[in-house]
Amino acid sequence: MKVNGTPTRTIWLEADQGVGTIDQTLLPHRYATIRLDSAEDAARAIKTMQVRGAPLIGATAAYGVALAARQDASDAALERAYALLIATRPTAINLKWALDEMMAALRNRPRDERVAAAYRRAQAIADEDVEINAAIGRHGLALIGEIAARKGGGPVNVLTHCNAGWLATVDWGTATSPIYQAHDKGIPIHVWVDETRPRNQGASLTAWELGQHGVPHTVIADNTGGHLMQHREVDIVITGTDRVTAQGDVANKIGTYLKALAAKDNGVPFYVALPSPTIDFSVVDGVREIPIEQRGPEEMTTMTGRTPDGRIESVRIVPDGSQVANYAFDVTPARLVTGLITERGILAASREALAQAFPERAAATVRHESDQGCGTRFC
Ligand code: MRU
């Protein structure tokens, strides 16, 4: 998508084989890029959320393995890079998917071919993400088009949570891809953007990227969605996800579940947009099985923003001494999900629909689970 009118991806290869990306912790106040030169750099960028969003975390980790291979392509060094990167964030399954893809591309390969193979696979993972998200957009566009036709004039009001936009992916975004495609086709559209406490990815990132693309939007406090739905101000909810289980349960940014409950109570369709690497066929019951990241208390106790004279400052908003809890994700059970917007079409959130649409992924997971394993990814 565009930054100040220039087509931009969130991650790219520099001429000298370093990796460039956007420092998302500075947005919306400053647009700045950073360089990654090692697996350690990639791990730090993911951990500190300079890059975030499940698909972009996966792509960054893939490049992290390529950067590690450039320094040392031995089995031991690649195992170390895998261990470092996998430990950065626990909920987004795209991270493990991308790392496993990289290892599959490198194992059984002579050492002198590994660097080129690693860069090739990392680049392909990034390019595939763009194609997948464009396809998600085409399928989601049909949904928005139907609502627009039914409304016969006024804008389609979409509510979204957190940032599942192009900043969270390599390009297009997942939840935002149908929105951008509808806007580009001239369908009147307006987005309710949940601010998404505590890190405010909605207010800071989704609002910024929608603004850059000229999509009308309104930032709302997280608890506003239910009220808007009761007053018929939301036509459809579209969110992203960090992990979808074999039966269609959906992990996403904390607060997503409450939006799904409100949507169910008000008869508002609740869709989740996802690329297939976000499906984890090895888990079934999302509430019981998906690990939920808990982050540091400072995200809760402080707010960061721009002062009138342009300085970026953090202020404390919680009394000294109060205990805080910072759960980063929650799980929306499949029964609350109207449909999953994937690159292969819109699916029911069910075991049958997912396995039928992605048989190769479902089968690969069964095979993997029955493997005995030899303790290394280079067996
Ligand atoms: O903690 P974050 O900012 O990485 O969380 C991001 C989300 O919850 C997104 O909705 C999800 O990763 C899907 S991104 C296409």
Side-chain angles (χ1 to χ4, degrees):
M1 307 305 287
K2 289 186 180 153
V3 177
N4 300 325
T6 306
T8 308
R9 284 186 176 190
T10 54
I11 193 160
W12 57 89
L13 202 54
E14 302 282 8
D16 62 358
Q17 304 285 87
V19 172
T21 187
I22 301 164
D23 183 350
Q24 298 192 23
T25 61
L26 302 178
L27 288 169
H29 307 298
R30 213 178 122 212
Y31 175 81
T33 62
I34 48 170
R35 259 187 76 96
L36 311 176
D37 286 301
S38 63
E40 287 73 18
D41 286 352
R44 195 177 315 110
I46 296 170
K47 186 104 196 151
T48 60
M49 294 180 66
Q50 286 176 305
V51 301
R52 30 68 51 205
L56 180 59
I57 290 169
T60 306
Y63 277 117
V65 172
L67 292 167
R70 188 171 65 153
Q71 287 173 350
D72 178 352
S74 66
D75 288 5
L78 294 175
E79 287 285 356
R80 274 198 302 278
Y82 187 107
L84 177 74
L85 289 158
I86 196 80
T88 50
R89 296 198 67 191
T91 304
I93 195 64
N94 305 58
L95 173 61
K96 179 173 187 305
W97 174 85
L99 289 170
D100 288 344
E101 286 290 308
M102 292 301 290
M103 291 306 179
L106 301 185
R107 78 166 65 90
N108 300 329
R109 216 179 249 286
R111 228 191 254 198
D112 62 351
E113 291 178 11
R114 281 183 175 173
V115 178
Y119 274 99
R120 259 199 319 275
R121 187 66 193 112
Q123 187 64 43
I125 285 173
D127 291 342
E128 283 160 19
D129 184 62
V130 180
E131 282 168 34
I132 285 173
N133 297 334
I136 287 171
R138 288 192 292 276
H139 296 300
L141 170 63
L143 282 177
I144 292 174
E146 278 165 31
I147 296 169
R150 225 176 25 244
K151 286 188 85 170
V156 176
N157 288 303
V158 183
L159 184 140
T160 194
H161 191 69
C162 193
N163 173 258
W166 74 268
L167 288 169
T169 66
V170 179
D171 207 350
W172 282 111
T174 57
T176 55
S177 185
I179 293 169
Y180 288 129
Q181 296 198 31
H183 175 79
D184 292 351
K185 282 225 150 37
I187 297 175
I189 194 157
H190 164 261
V191 185
W192 296 111
V193 179
D194 282 351
E195 62 174 346
T196 320
R197 278 285 289 153
R199 288 188 68 98
N200 296 320
Q201 290 95 325
S204 303
L205 304 177
T206 305
W208 180 80
E209 59 164 88
L210 291 174
Q212 288 283 327
H213 201 76
V215 179
H217 61 279
T218 305
V219 178
I220 49 175
D222 282 328
N223 299 322
T224 311
H227 167 78
L228 292 173
M229 290 183 212
Q230 286 174 326
H231 290 272
R232 317 316 301 164
E233 296 283 354
V234 179
D235 295 305
I236 183 171
V237 179
I238 310 179
T239 74
T241 168
D242 288 78
R243 196 186 298 214
V244 174
T245 72
Q247 69 180 11
D249 295 342
V250 168
N252 193 47
K253 182 55 55 189
I254 192 79
T256 303
Y257 170 51
L258 295 178
K259 295 294 140 42
L261 284 173
K264 185 81 172 178
D265 193 44
N266 289 283
V268 175
F270 182 92
Y271 282 90
V272 177
L274 64 131
S276 55
T278 305
I279 307 168
D280 182 356
F281 280 102
S282 75
V283 294
V284 177
D285 181 336
V287 174
R288 286 166 46 127
E289 295 179 75
I290 296 178
I292 299 296
E293 177 177 11
Q294 290 191 54
R295 296 184 60 83
E298 67 289 347
E299 292 182 353
M300 290 293 307
T301 55
T302 59
M303 291 269 264
T304 300
R306 191 181 57 203
T307 61
D309 61 355
R311 282 171 298 120
I312 305 299
E313 287 204 348
S314 290
V315 292
R316 190 174 171 99
I317 57 168
V318 174
D320 290 329
S322 286
Q323 197 168 305
V324 297
N326 186 6
Y327 295 89
F329 297 94
D330 60 25
V331 173
T332 300
R335 67 188 149 76
L336 298 177
V337 178
T338 310
L340 301 171
I341 310 173
T342 76
E343 71 266 31
R344 294 192 185 163
I346 298 176
L347 314 176
S350 72
R351 186 190 280 270
E352 299 70 30
L354 282 163
Q356 203 177 13
F358 298 100
E360 72 290 4
R361 294 283 319 285
T365 308
V366 172
R367 252 199 327 279
H368 176 75
E369 280 176 340
S370 61
D371 283 350
Q372 287 306 301
C374 67
T376 161
R377 282 165 197 92
F378 288 90
C379 300

